[in-house]
Amino acid sequence: MRNIIPALIGIGACCAAAGANAQTIDWQVFAEPFVSTAHAQSIDWQKVDETLGRKPAVTDDVHRYGFPRSDLTVTLDGVTIKPALALGGWVAFKPAHDGVMAMGDLVLLESEINPVMMKMIASGLQITAVHNHLLRASPSTFYMHIAGHGDPIKIATAIRDGLAESKTPLKATAPATPPPAVDLDTAQLDQIIGVKGKATGGVYQFNVPRRDPISQEGMPLSPGAPLGLAIGINFQPTGAGKAAITGDFVLTSEEVNPVIMALRTHGIDVTALHSHMLDEQPRLFFMHFWANDDAVKLAKGLRAALDKTASSKS
């Protein structure tokens, strides 16, 4: 991941515009908040948890914090979208040699994008993508991908302060009622997709890892799933064996059009194609999709698309 100082060039430019001599700007003033003194083994994860107001899901050395937009009621083609289907913002922290590498995907309304962005930039975080994942949703939701590198507490504080510019719930609360059971033949879905799914918040979720290693600035990005680098597939039951599906395929350039063809051939809409990061290797593209139909039929279409990728089963 790039050093966070380039993310502050815009701030330096503002100073220059005000008459400051670029050669006399004390860049240490801007860099200081994110100069990490913590070694990976001495990260105070409890303090990070307290700063972000929630507990993480821990996979190997990655701590992933969920920021679901439980405050929103979003509908698409008559389906009320559960947060676990397409409104589950998150931030993941992975220890690095000088603190942590952080990346995340935040769910925002259109009116929230620039206030959150300006706060994040002012705190030294990078914005690596802003885009849609869905089409026709009401209200429209957008997804801001962020990155940071350095002191974990300062990064967590920057994320919290940035999200405070939106209506994203900053305190995790238990749901008032248990999530509904997933009324689908999940065993059959597991068999078709080729990995074991899990029920979360009334949604049946799959993470299908890629076989090829992914790195950033020479650092392996593993485990991939909590860092957003596994193919994500979500099923939300809509009654009578049907399900709304969405998620994203993680693809190399040569896989993009074969996967588009496989999805469209099976009646699955492609709703977005874009990058999420800036300097990963190999270069990756993320393809989002949507359909609401017989769950088994859709699973077979997704399997056909997976077969065009370097995923775990294909």
Side-chain angles (χ1 to χ4, degrees):
M1 179 168 299
R2 296 173 180 173
N3 189 282
I4 55 91
I5 293 177
L8 299 171
I9 289 175
I11 298 174
C14 293
C15 294
N21 185 326
Q23 293 182 338
T24 63
I25 292 175
D26 184 4
W27 289 105
Q28 186 65 21
V29 172
F30 299 110
E32 181 64 29
F34 285 92
V35 175
S36 174
T37 58
H39 190 269
Q41 281 75 19
S42 61
I43 293 172
D44 186 347
W45 289 112
Q46 182 175 348
K47 182 64 174 177
V48 176
D49 298 352
E50 293 171 355
T51 303
L52 294 175
R54 63 209 62 227
K55 292 291 186 180
V58 181
T59 306
D60 294 344
D61 64 346
V62 175
H63 290 232
R64 176 169 165 139
Y65 299 83
F67 290 90
R69 291 304 301 260
S70 55
D71 59 307
L72 298 178
T73 300
V74 179
T75 60
L76 199 171
D77 295 348
V79 177
T80 299
I81 296 175
K82 296 183 183 297
L85 182 68
L87 304 174
W90 57 272
V91 177
F93 289 69
K94 181 178 176 65
H97 69 280
D98 56 354
V100 296
M101 174 190 72
M103 58 176 58
D105 181 6
L106 308 176
V107 184
L108 301 172
L109 297 175
E110 184 174 358
S111 61
E112 297 170 338
I113 293 172
N114 278 293
V116 172
M117 180 184 292
M118 292 304 295
K119 193 71 171 182
M120 296 267 184
I121 291 173
S123 298
L125 297 179
Q126 292 182 332
I127 308 301
T128 61
V130 179
H131 45 229
N132 68 293
H133 288 179
L134 303 171
L135 301 174
R136 305 183 304 278
S138 179
S140 296
T141 52
F142 296 85
Y143 300 79
M144 180 182 293
H145 294 263
I146 62 170
H149 193 177
D151 183 277
I153 308 303
K154 296 186 188 304
I155 291 176
T157 301
I159 291 166
R160 181 199 63 202
D161 292 350
L163 283 174
E165 298 295 316
S166 72
K167 293 185 178 180
T168 303
L170 294 181
K171 288 293 183 182
T173 57
T177 58
V182 175
D183 186 20
L184 297 170
D185 186 345
T186 56
Q188 188 172 9
L189 296 181
D190 290 349
Q191 182 179 18
I192 295 168
I193 298 299
V195 298
K196 176 68 175 174
K198 67 174 183 178
T200 303
V203 174
Y204 202 62
Q205 300 181 331
F206 293 94
N207 283 301
V208 184
R210 291 187 59 87
R211 293 194 302 267
D212 47 352
I214 301 167
S215 65
Q216 193 161 251
E217 291 193 346
M219 180 177 179
L221 297 180
S222 63
L227 295 171
L229 299 174
I231 296 171
I233 296 172
N234 301 325
F235 287 74
Q236 178 178 315
T238 56
K242 293 185 176 182
I245 61 166
T246 191
D248 56 353
F249 278 79
V250 184
L251 306 169
T252 55
S253 59
E254 65 273 13
E255 296 170 341
V256 168
N257 279 283
V259 169
I260 288 177
M261 289 296 296
L263 293 174
R264 295 302 302 126
T265 298
H266 290 84
I268 300 171
D269 290 344
V270 174
T271 59
L273 173 65
H274 45 229
S275 61
H276 286 181
M277 298 176 287
L278 298 177
D279 50 10
E280 74 283 359
Q281 294 294 329
R283 191 74 172 115
L284 298 174
F285 299 88
F286 295 78
M287 185 182 298
H288 299 265
F289 56 90
W290 169 266
N292 181 18
D293 204 340
D294 179 80
V296 172
K297 172 186 171 183
L298 293 176
K300 291 178 179 177
L302 292 166
R303 181 66 255 169
L306 286 167
D307 287 340
K308 306 297 182 181
T309 71
S311 62
S312 59
K313 183 180 176 182
S314 59

